[in-house]
Amino acid sequence: MNEVLPQLDELLFSSVEGVSVESVEVTDTVVRVEARTTAERAACPGCGYWSVRIHGSYLRFPRDLPTAGKFVVVSLRVRRFVCGEDSCPRKTFAEQVPGLTRRFGRRTERLRSVLVSVGLALAGRAGARMTDAFKVPVSRNTLLRVIASLPDPVAAAPRVVGVDEYAQRKGRIYGTVLVDVETRRPIDLLPDREADTLAAWLAERPGIEIVCRDRAPFFADGATRAPQAIQVADRWHLWHNLGEAAEKCVYRHRGCLRPVPAPDEPAGGGAGHVVALADRAPVRRTRPRKARHHPRSPGGRAQQAIRRPATRHEPKHHSAGP
């Protein structure tokens, strides 16, 4: 057994230093790994003082990645050290194993990294179903808490910024969203769409060279107060405005439009030629569907009209007296 333990250390904790495996117990559903820490000293998380004085020890049971379809639980014995710094408010502290444990953690770091990847890819409900397939079942709320605990990524100073509005409550409350056009990632959300708010945000970032915005007057006023930035219209709003202008133009000149000639009619057909309504493709597709849902009698009347009571408008007949 003593010859196997070093191999277990290399197999189970190859990327972790300061952990020694003492035994492995395998049951039908669970693999229990008993291990202990072997570091000679630990740093106080409050003041950074390195201590070698041991106060006591206790067991932790973090869950690890599954193996062969079985749950893995690590029974890890960790120690508490005495902080020798008089000015430190901590008198004792528990050691942490880098790459394996963290404060108040119930899972190993490698299991937590897997949950983070699943949560970022699939979010709550779908991610929870995927963890069931991985044999590490957690709830959707747990995945969301793991994602929320991640630190915010460090964003580089943007050079080209897109400015647009978003609805916090449609029709009532609107804010401003700012996007890095080059990376296509959102940068910040402003609580309103006032020109002063946008101007203050731009003033704190003098490295912005281009402001890509729509034609809203409050955005125009706010962007004008950043003289170092060039204002341009974004592509989506250009196409949107062009489409609206073309639609309005076609609507104004709808009287000038002529019907399209039939496919078998020469291009120079008579001026009075009009395509029959029944020959148009939408009508040919709609009539059979309408006939199925609204059948008619042989006389052409709709069956619903036939079933309607006939006494609605008939005059009342009174019997004659004796």
Side-chain angles (χ1 to χ4, degrees):
M1 185 65 182
N2 294 332
E3 298 177 357
V4 178
L5 290 179
Q7 298 178 6
L8 291 176
D9 293 342
E10 183 66 23
L11 177 63
L12 299 175
F13 305 109
S14 58
S15 60
V16 180
E17 297 181 356
V19 177
S20 175
V21 177
E22 295 184 339
S23 65
V24 177
E25 179 184 354
V26 181
T27 63
D28 294 338
T29 57
V30 179
V31 176
R32 185 185 182 93
V33 180
E34 294 188 2
R36 61 182 179 85
T37 57
T38 58
E40 297 180 355
R41 59 177 186 167
C44 175
C47 62
Y49 177 84
W50 286 91
S51 176
V52 296
R53 183 180 171 187
I54 299 176
H55 180 270
S57 64
Y58 66 99
L59 288 175
R60 296 183 63 176
F61 301 95
R63 288 181 55 187
D64 201 2
L65 291 173
T67 177
K70 298 180 180 181
F71 297 104
V72 176
V73 177
V74 180
S75 178
L76 181 64
R77 181 166 292 278
V78 297
R79 297 162 295 179
R80 294 191 69 87
F81 287 82
V82 177
C83 181
E85 182 65 34
D86 297 335
S87 60
C88 181
R90 295 176 182 268
K91 301 305 179 182
T92 63
F93 62 90
E95 63 177 335
Q96 304 296 334
V97 182
L100 185 63
T101 63
R102 65 170 54 196
R103 292 188 66 195
F104 308 114
R106 298 182 179 181
R107 303 173 184 87
T108 60
E109 287 298 287
R110 49 194 176 190
L111 175 56
R112 185 176 182 274
S113 64
V114 171
L115 296 180
V116 167
S117 301
V118 172
L120 292 176
L122 301 176
R125 297 184 186 274
R129 291 193 294 268
M130 182 60 70
T131 58
D132 289 338
F134 289 164
K135 299 298 182 181
V136 286
V138 296
S139 66
R140 62 187 181 94
N141 292 329
T142 299
L143 283 178
L144 296 178
R145 281 196 300 268
V146 170
I147 296 174
S149 65
L150 296 176
D152 295 333
V154 179
R159 191 181 65 89
V160 184
V161 174
V163 182
D164 206 346
E165 62 184 5
Y166 73 96
Q168 300 177 13
R169 188 175 181 184
K170 193 171 182 179
R172 297 191 178 186
I173 304 175
Y174 287 88
T176 303
V177 58
L178 299 115
V179 180
D180 190 338
V181 177
E182 295 179 325
T183 62
R184 299 185 178 183
R185 292 184 177 274
I187 304 173
D188 203 351
L189 295 176
L190 303 183
D192 52 41
R193 52 181 180 179
E194 299 296 330
D196 295 338
T197 306
L198 177 60
W201 190 90
L202 293 174
E204 297 175 356
R205 295 160 180 82
I208 296 176
E209 302 177 5
I210 301 175
V211 176
C212 187
R213 61 171 183 84
D214 63 3
R215 297 184 301 173
F218 36 83
F219 291 152
D221 187 14
T224 304
R225 303 182 194 180
Q228 80 281 1
I230 302 174
Q231 301 183 41
V232 299
D234 62 273
R235 182 171 54 185
W236 186 89
H237 282 97
L238 287 177
W239 281 110
H240 182 69
N241 295 337
L242 177 61
E244 288 184 341
E247 184 179 358
K248 292 178 181 179
C249 180
V250 171
Y251 181 77
R252 285 197 303 266
H253 297 84
R254 63 188 182 279
C256 304
L257 302 178
R258 294 291 182 267
V260 180
D264 54 348
E265 186 74 15
H273 174 77
V274 178
V275 179
L277 180 63
D279 296 335
R280 295 184 180 177
V283 177
R284 291 198 303 268
R285 292 194 301 267
T286 305
R287 279 188 173 179
R289 188 164 59 248
K290 183 178 180 181
R292 288 196 302 269
H293 295 288
H294 304 281
R296 292 177 174 270
S297 68
R301 296 180 62 192
Q303 293 186 6
Q304 184 178 4
I306 296 174
R307 290 193 299 265
R308 187 178 302 133
T311 60
R312 183 175 179 181
H313 299 291
E314 293 181 356
K316 297 182 179 180
H317 298 278
H318 300 280
S319 60

